Amino acid sequence: MDRYLMFYRFYITLFVFFLSSCASESLIQTKQDINLAKQDASDSDKSPETLLIEYENKLNAFGEDTLSFYAPLNMQQASENITKAKAQLNNSTSSANKSNPKAELISASRYLDKAVSNKQAVKLHLKTADTQFIELQNLQAPILLPLKFTKTKDEFSQLIKLIENGKIQEAIRQEPDLIEDMIKVEIETLKKSFFGKSVEYIHQAQDLNADDYAPASLKTAEQLLQSSLAFIDKSYRDRNTISDMSEETFKAAKKLYFISKEAFAIHTSSNEEVENKIMSAYDFLREIETGLAIKPIEITDYAEQSTQLLQQIVRKEQETKETLASLQAKKEVLKTVVEPISIPKDTIPKDTIPKIIMSKETNKAVLPELFMPNTYSDMHDTE
């Protein structure tokens, strides 16, 4: 008997839980709400078309997607009212039959107002969770970790629905667990965002037998990666340091990949291919030597030639700097030019100012002494 009683209680509890779950997924429009909407529709002198335009303007102002997330139950009910209203508008043939569309439209507008209020309530009572959720979106978590982000989003949505059903304290009680899950997703998102490329390079290097051909470079890259990931676990909000560590790790991982690639090519090439590769490296030094017009380097082992070439390049750079400095100094000297002395016209003696006359042949001004030198000279002396 006790056994049957235990099963009976279990099924009753399960049934009650099922009903409560279903209730949390929708809002029930009470008869009182329906009658109130009908009364307001009867008292309103606005046409259904006007009410529909007002609803759509309000919806666009607040954003349908935003309200659908922060108040899914209210928005679902508003959508159902709008669907009914539009259907009745299309089927109505007389103005007398349009009271029902008006009632549905007024109800939809009220649910829209409730949705706006619920959004404000969520941001007030679940402020930390909401801030964390926005941070995940800014970090591109929906793209980098779509499955885990969706799971977290669904958890947040459940708390939002609790607030819609008036269970604010229950939502607040469950918020810490949600925040903990969100932080985990944030950390994983940071790791993938900042170090995803580094991980790819390391894996590609390992595919090229980096363990055998580039062990030192592999060790360096892996140590940097591990220390960076450990740092994120403890200081995931220190984005500046994470960014710096990411850059350093990326350089090491990329270097590892190309070293492994070269080493793999050498180990898997024929003797002739290896010889051609070495000859190409020597020829490259000659090309640099010719291109920079520096002193020819004596042929010796590759490392020694590289060192000599580098030394000559440094000397060439120093000589260029000295030449530029010398030219700049000369340029400054040339800038120092004595300005011509300006003599006021009134201070010049009249006797020193030559007189001019117009030539009838050329219609141009000429000096008198050039036109009639003897006459002009006598007249000038007399004066």
Side-chain angles (χ1 to χ4, degrees), residues 10 29 75-76 91 116 130 145 147 162 181 190 195 204 219 221 279 283 297 300 302 304 325 347 364 378:
F10 172 76
Q29 190 174 16
M75 290 302 296
Q76 178 184 352
N91 294 332
V116 174
D130 183 61
L145 297 173
L147 295 179
L162 286 175
D181 292 339
L190 287 170
F195 297 93
Q204 290 174 4
K219 183 178 180 181
M279 290 175 63
D283 291 340
I297 301 172
T300 178
Y302 187 81
E304 178 63 24
T347 62
K364 294 182 180 179
D378 294 340

Side-chain angles (χ1 to χ4, degrees), residues 23-28 66-78 110-123 125-126 156-172:
S24 65
E25 293 300 320
S26 63
L27 294 178
I28 299 176
T66 300
L67 292 180
S68 294
F69 176 73
Y70 284 101
L73 302 182
N74 281 286
M75 290 302 296
Q76 178 184 352
Q77 189 60 54
R110 285 177 177 170
Y111 278 112
L112 186 58
D113 292 336
K114 291 180 181 179
V116 174
S117 298
N118 199 75
K119 176 186 175 182
Q120 296 172 345
V122 170
K123 289 186 172 293
H125 299 295
L126 302 178
F156 191 21
S157 182
Q158 292 303 316
L159 300 194
I160 290 174
K161 290 175 182 178
L162 286 175
I163 291 181
E164 279 192 287
N165 282 293
K167 301 177 181 179
I168 296 176
Q169 293 304 317
E170 178 63 19
I172 294 174

Side-chain angles (χ1 to χ4, degrees), residues 38 77 139 153 341:
K38 289 181 178 180
Q77 189 60 54
L139 290 174
K153 181 180 178 181
I341 300 175

Side-chain angles (χ1 to χ4, degrees), residues 267-284:
H267 282 83
T268 57
S269 299
S270 65
N271 292 337
E272 183 180 358
E273 290 173 336
V274 173
E275 180 186 9
N276 289 333
K277 197 173 188 66
I278 295 174
M279 290 175 63
S280 296
Y282 273 84
D283 291 340
F284 178 67

Side-chain angles (χ1 to χ4, degrees), residues 10-76:
F10 172 76
Y11 284 115
I12 290 295
T13 303
L14 185 63
F15 179 70
V16 172
F17 175 77
F18 174 76
L19 290 179
S20 62
S21 298
C22 292
S24 65
E25 293 300 320
S26 63
L27 294 178
I28 299 176
Q29 190 174 16
T30 64
K31 187 175 182 179
Q32 181 181 0
D33 292 336
I34 296 174
N35 291 333
L36 182 61
K38 289 181 178 180
Q39 182 61 44
D40 290 343
S42 177
D43 296 339
S44 175
D45 57 356
K46 295 180 180 180
S47 67
E49 290 79 9
T50 300
L51 292 174
L52 179 60
I53 292 174
E54 290 179 351
Y55 173 86
E56 291 175 344
N57 289 339
K58 187 188 298 185
L59 182 62
N60 292 332
F62 289 102
E64 183 175 1
D65 291 340
T66 300
L67 292 180
S68 294
F69 176 73
Y70 284 101
L73 302 182
N74 281 286
M75 290 302 296
Q76 178 184 352

Side-chain angles (χ1 to χ4, degrees), residues 188-381:
E188 289 190 48
T189 303
L190 287 170
K191 290 178 178 179
K192 191 166 185 178
S193 175
F194 282 94
F195 297 93
K197 291 292 184 181
S198 297
V199 172
E200 288 181 13
Y201 271 125
I202 292 175
H203 288 167
Q204 290 174 4
Q206 289 174 329
D207 292 338
L208 295 170
N209 295 335
D211 300 83
D212 297 326
Y213 302 148
S217 298
L218 176 61
K219 183 178 180 181
T220 299
E222 287 184 330
Q223 286 179 342
L224 284 172
L225 178 62
Q226 293 303 322
S227 61
S228 299
L229 297 182
F231 179 83
I232 293 179
D233 289 332
K234 297 179 180 179
S235 306
Y236 59 92
R237 287 294 168 87
D238 188 354
R239 301 297 163 77
N240 291 332
T241 302
I242 292 174
S243 179
D244 293 339
M245 297 178 77
S246 171
E247 184 176 351
E248 184 181 4
T249 304
F250 178 75
K251 289 179 180 178
K254 191 174 182 180
K255 180 180 178 181
L256 162 68
Y257 167 72
F258 284 105
I259 290 176
S260 301
K261 185 178 180 181
E262 293 292 336
F264 182 83
I266 292 174
H267 282 83
T268 57
S269 299
S270 65
N271 292 337
E272 183 180 358
E273 290 173 336
V274 173
E275 180 186 9
N276 289 333
K277 197 173 188 66
I278 295 174
M279 290 175 63
S280 296
Y282 273 84
D283 291 340
F284 178 67
L285 295 181
R286 300 282 81 75
E287 291 177 8
I288 296 177
E289 176 187 296
T290 303
L292 296 178
I294 59 180
K295 181 181 177 181
I297 301 172
E298 181 182 355
I299 297 180
T300 178
D301 63 83
Y302 187 81
E304 178 63 24
Q305 289 189 68
S306 299
T307 302
Q308 291 182 22
L309 181 61
L310 179 60
Q311 291 173 348
Q312 290 209 46
I313 291 175
V314 172
R315 284 197 293 269
K316 189 82 171 179
E317 182 181 9
Q318 184 61 33
E319 291 174 359
T320 303
K321 288 182 180 179
E322 293 174 357
T323 301
L324 290 175
S326 177
L327 291 173
Q328 183 64 28
K330 291 180 180 180
K331 182 180 179 181
E332 295 298 328
V333 172
L334 292 174
K335 283 183 179 179
T336 311
V337 179
V338 179
E339 294 291 336
I341 300 175
S342 178
I343 302 176
K345 185 176 180 182
D346 295 341
T347 62
I348 303 176
K350 293 183 179 180
D351 294 344
T352 62
I353 301 176
K355 297 180 179 179
I356 60 174
I357 62 175
M358 297 298 295
S359 171
K360 293 181 179 180
E361 289 79 3
T362 63
N363 196 30
K364 294 182 180 179
V366 298
L367 293 173
E369 61 265 30
L370 298 177
F371 185 71
M372 44 184 183
N374 295 332
T375 307
Y376 178 79
S377 297
D378 294 340
M379 291 175 61
H380 189 65
D381 292 340

